[in-house]
Amino acid sequence: MIPTSFDYTRVDTVDEAIDLLIEQDGARALAGGHSLLPDLKLRRTSARLLIDLWPLRAELAGIDERDGVITVGALTRYTDLERSSVVQEHLPLLAHAAGQIGDTQVRRRGTIGGSLANAARAADLPGVALALDGEVVVRGAEGERTLPVDQLLLGDHRTSLDRGELITHIRFPLRRVDGWSYQRFGRRTQDWPTVAVAANRTESGTAVALVNLADHAVRAASVEEAVATGAQFPEAARRVEADIAPRDDLKASAAYRRHLAGVLVERALQHAA
Amino acid sequence: MTSTQRIGLTVNGAPVEAEVEPRTLLVQFLREQLQLTGTHVGCDTSNCGACTLLIDGEPVKSCTVLAVQAAGGEVTTVEGLANGSEMTPVQEGFRQEHGLQCGFCTPGMLMCSSALLAERPDPTPDEIRDYLDGCMCRCTGYQMIVEAVSWAAAHSTTGDEQ
């Protein structure tokens, strides 16, 4: 399928990209392109100008651990997350989940910043980032700001980013990981998850996040509260009902998703225990 | 006629310069402008992997990359595997173990398998299946493909001789 015409440019700096995003109507940022290009090809979206951020990988594709914070560059690919010894050691949930997305070829292009900025309701990494108490560092014309991932995600393909803002880094607090689990349910290989549940147990307690059970990834606050007050896992898992708004689609009915949520939350809690 | 850009890249070791529209997919560019029709378009929806080739050594679906994105890079297609008439171990493995029937997925399988063995010279069958997850075959049921890659691993000079 052939996209409508657009112009294309590369940039040497983040600020150059920001200037273009603000000045040029219809300018879109291009990272790995494995969400944007399929949408352009199917004409689900359009662009007048694609700004290729790939040359910025030298600056924005690193993983750094310092002073109790793990900083991940926005252009870090899923394959880089999967292979990173820092991520494997301190954020094993992220290393594992990144290795489940798509397939080998997709993981060589898809980026964590792209996934968060695209904010597809069925995307894995926004949910995982929530479970890990992630924050995004965002740069725009006004300068830099930091916000928790739960303030970034507003809805399906909707974020709180302004025009001209780019995610540059994702930060995670460094914690001792006592247990974790990623329960990802899909019909077929390569599929987006029908539903997924991420659990991460640290000295701060057990965080549980839900993928494709609402307009955007969410923390299962009711489940977390139940666990924190000593509920048994089956009882805690039942509380997930209060945290979700599943949808019917071609893959699954809302009712089936509701059922999966309970089953997968219980499994996640058991595996993370 | 919409505006084009001049790009330069290396394809199978040779420098190439061309004019392309930004919206031209890498697979279209290779097939239609360079007449390198070995790379196939199977689904055009980023699923089947028949379009897989290497960009700077990495396996990538060329229907999901613009030609302009590949400018300045090194692209290797299935035409770039063999050295004259001397096939690579991966290609020979597909011959020895009957790793193809209609052949439509085969270029993608060969490129992805080549990338696998460059990164992991002695993969287990499970590791082969996992790595080739992004390449679909409708004919073989995959078993012969896995055996072809195992054959190639066993008969590569960089792998273990078995």
Side-chain angles (χ1 to χ4, degrees), chain A residues 94-108:
Chain A
L94 178 58
H96 172 83
Q100 303 292 298
I101 298 168
D103 53 54
T104 298
Q105 296 93 308
V106 168
R107 293 192 287 273
R108 301 301 168 102

Side-chain angles (χ1 to χ4, degrees), chain A residues 1-8 10 30 34 37-38 41 50 52 77 83 103-105 108-109 189-190, chain B residues 2 5 21-23 25 44 46-47 52 58-59 61 63-64 66 68-69 71 119 131 133-136:
Chain A
M1 296 134 292
I2 300 172
T4 53
S5 264
F6 45 77
D7 286 327
Y8 166 94
R10 293 184 181 179
L30 173 66
H34 277 50
L37 289 178
K41 287 164 69 179
L50 293 189
D52 193 351
R77 302 171 303 168
R83 293 172 184 174
D103 53 54
T104 298
Q105 296 93 308
R108 301 301 168 102
R109 300 293 291 189
T189 193
Q190 293 183 21
Chain B
T2 26
Q5 283 187 9
E21 284 188 55
R23 64 177 167 169
L25 303 175
D44 213 5
S46 316
N47 295 102
T52 303
E58 306 259 33
K61 294 178 175 180
C63 76
T64 318
L66 302 170
V68 288
Q69 287 177 281
E119 292 169 17
Y131 196 98
D133 203 20
C135 290
M136 293 181 179

